[in-house]
Amino acid sequence: MSQAGRKILADKIAKYRLEAGLTREQLSLLLGKDNSYISKLEKLRVNISIDMLEEISKLLKRNIYDFIKE
């Protein structure tokens, strides 16, 4: 995925996370990840797998398509 694509995805994760009323740490812990995982995703420091994106979309009650459409 291009850097621009990763930025779009990271911005949408942040947007939907905030709409769900979750902090970065809370979402990380719900995913069973280190409490800084979402922070690293949103700051483009780590890549995301399709499987993890699917888990995040379920937790945020979104369709995975919501994250990849422009």
Side-chain angles (χ1 to χ4, degrees):
M1 178 181 291
S2 71
Q3 187 73 2
R6 290 176 62 216
K7 175 72 172 133
I8 290 168
L9 184 59
D11 289 347
K12 288 188 178 189
I13 289 171
K15 176 185 174 187
Y16 298 144
R17 174 183 57 75
L18 291 170
E19 287 177 3
L22 294 171
T23 65
R24 291 174 176 156
E25 293 80 13
Q26 288 169 325
L27 183 54
S28 293
L29 294 174
L30 287 171
L31 292 166
K33 296 289 189 178
D34 177 86
N35 66 358
S36 65
Y37 179 74
I38 294 298
S39 177
K40 291 175 185 174
L41 272 179
E42 291 179 1
K43 293 177 182 178
L44 307 178
R45 293 185 181 156
V46 295
N47 289 322
I48 189 169
S49 69
I50 295 297
D51 292 338
M52 184 57 61
L53 182 57
E54 187 173 42
E55 279 190 60
I56 290 171
S57 69
K58 287 178 185 177
L59 284 170
L60 298 179
K61 297 178 176 44
R62 292 284 178 166
N63 185 307
I64 197 168
Y65 180 73
D66 293 335
F67 291 89
I68 56 176
K69 68 180 180 182
E70 287 194 50

